[in-house]
Amino acid sequence: MTTPTILDKIKTYKLEEIAAAKAVRPQDEIEAEAGDAPPVRPFGDALLQASKTGYGLIAEIKKASPSKGLIRQDFDPAALAEAYASGGATCLSVLTDTPSFQGAPEYLGQARAACDLPVLRKDFMYDPYQVAEARAWGADCILIIMASVSDAQALELEEAATRWGMDALIEVHNREELDRAHTLNSNMIGINNRDLNTFETSLDTTRKLAKFVAPDGLIVSESGLSTPDDLAEMARYGARSFLIGETLMRADDVAQATRDLLANPMKAGGV
């Protein structure tokens, strides 16, 4: 019998969480709340526009992680969102998973209210109920992790996002997942440099996979990125948007760290 991976363990408790949430708040109730949420902010378009002249940055608000434990002691989602926005971030990613990342739904609302940036609900999504939840909390985009869902689930989640006017970031970390991602409508492909089974990171993942992304794909390189040189290196492979959390979350001055990271973008089409 194989040992459950971190992803397996997360999926087990996440499905229990979804069932419990449905018991407390039925689908029609959460959908009514989603319908009353503030208008969606354009997530993918914001990244696309930013990447034409500089880099698109999805700056992550993350208190902890399974592999690193507590990342930031003085954790204030609203203040962090303001700092990211003033530092030049394009979008935000907010962890809403509690057991593994010490995230919370209210963090998403607090961050979004503090700035004008579009916000991704960063969580492990399995059910359209969670998509309605995300919209009810104010999210503008969801994450679909191909390693964690079937093709049918991925399509169901994407269709739910479309229904609510939201974007979907499709996350992959190998060629098989990328090929599966190409069957979906979203052209926003997140290449995760972190192996979700071992939690080890390697920028080679983006180097290897970027060339196989469809020509109209918007590549977001995720994880393991910490310096302007890292970003320039990934840009050489066609990734001009990035999802970065830990490096910025550990900075004393988050706004300045964000500014420094984005200061010298490689010109589009440059080598």
Side-chain angles (χ1 to χ4, degrees):
M1 188 174 174
T2 56
T3 307
T5 64
I6 295 172
L7 201 55
D8 292 334
K9 292 173 183 174
I10 290 173
K11 183 173 184 175
T12 298
Y13 76 68
K14 191 58 64 175
L15 293 176
E16 291 171 359
E17 273 185 8
I18 296 164
K22 286 180 175 179
V24 174
R25 305 191 67 201
Q27 183 107 8
D28 56 356
E29 193 175 312
I30 201 76
E31 288 193 358
E33 197 174 319
D36 291 337
V40 174
R41 297 169 181 171
F43 192 96
D45 282 352
L47 288 178
L48 181 62
Q49 292 309 312
S51 67
K52 286 179 179 177
T53 52
Y55 294 144
L57 174 64
I58 306 170
E60 189 152 88
I61 293 177
K62 177 164 72 171
K63 187 176 184 179
S65 79
S67 55
K68 301 293 177 66
L70 186 67
I71 293 170
R72 190 176 186 92
Q73 191 79 47
D74 60 325
F75 185 78
D76 181 338
L80 289 165
E82 288 178 357
Y84 279 146
S86 68
T90 313
C91 300
L92 298 178
S93 166
V94 181
L95 269 295
T96 57
D97 174 82
T98 304
S100 297
F101 293 89
Q102 295 183 37
E106 55 267 30
Y107 294 163
L108 194 154
Q110 290 164 12
R112 194 179 192 274
C115 66
D116 294 326
L117 303 184
V119 181
L120 166 76
R121 177 187 179 184
K122 184 75 175 292
D123 212 320
F124 299 83
M125 311 290 278
Y126 298 99
D127 191 299
Y129 180 91
Q130 293 172 287
V131 184
E133 261 184 347
R135 184 79 279 269
W137 300 341
D140 307 290
C141 183
I142 62 159
L143 183 70
I144 300 176
I145 303 172
M146 295 306 291
S148 199
V149 294
S150 67
D151 290 351
Q153 282 176 309
L155 181 60
E156 189 178 40
L157 290 167
E158 186 184 51
E159 286 176 344
T162 301
R163 176 187 167 195
W164 294 110
M166 304 163 75
D167 287 330
L169 175 61
I170 315 298
E171 182 176 292
V172 305
H173 71 288
N174 60 39
R175 180 67 190 278
E176 184 214 356
E177 290 167 12
L178 177 58
D179 289 344
R180 292 172 55 217
H182 282 148
T183 67
L184 299 169
N185 292 317
S186 176
N187 71 337
M188 196 163 36
I189 304 293
I191 300 179
N192 195 345
N193 299 305
R194 175 174 288 115
D195 186 308
L196 293 177
N197 292 320
T198 65
F199 269 64
E200 294 174 358
T201 59
S202 170
L203 299 186
D204 281 341
T205 309
T206 294
R207 291 187 187 101
K208 290 173 182 173
L209 292 183
K211 62 178 173 284
F212 297 113
V213 174
D216 68 339
L218 192 160
I219 302 171
V220 180
S221 187
E222 308 172 4
S223 305
L225 303 156
S226 57
T227 68
D229 285 348
D230 288 340
L231 272 54
E233 171 70 5
M234 295 299 94
R236 288 187 183 94
Y237 289 85
R240 298 193 59 84
S241 291
F242 309 93
L243 191 153
I244 300 175
E246 192 178 325
T247 298
L248 298 173
M249 288 296 299
R250 291 188 186 280
D252 291 331
D253 185 333
V254 172
Q256 189 58 49
T258 305
R259 229 171 268 125
D260 292 345
L261 192 65
L262 297 171
N264 296 298
M266 176 181 285
K267 289 181 181 175
V271 290

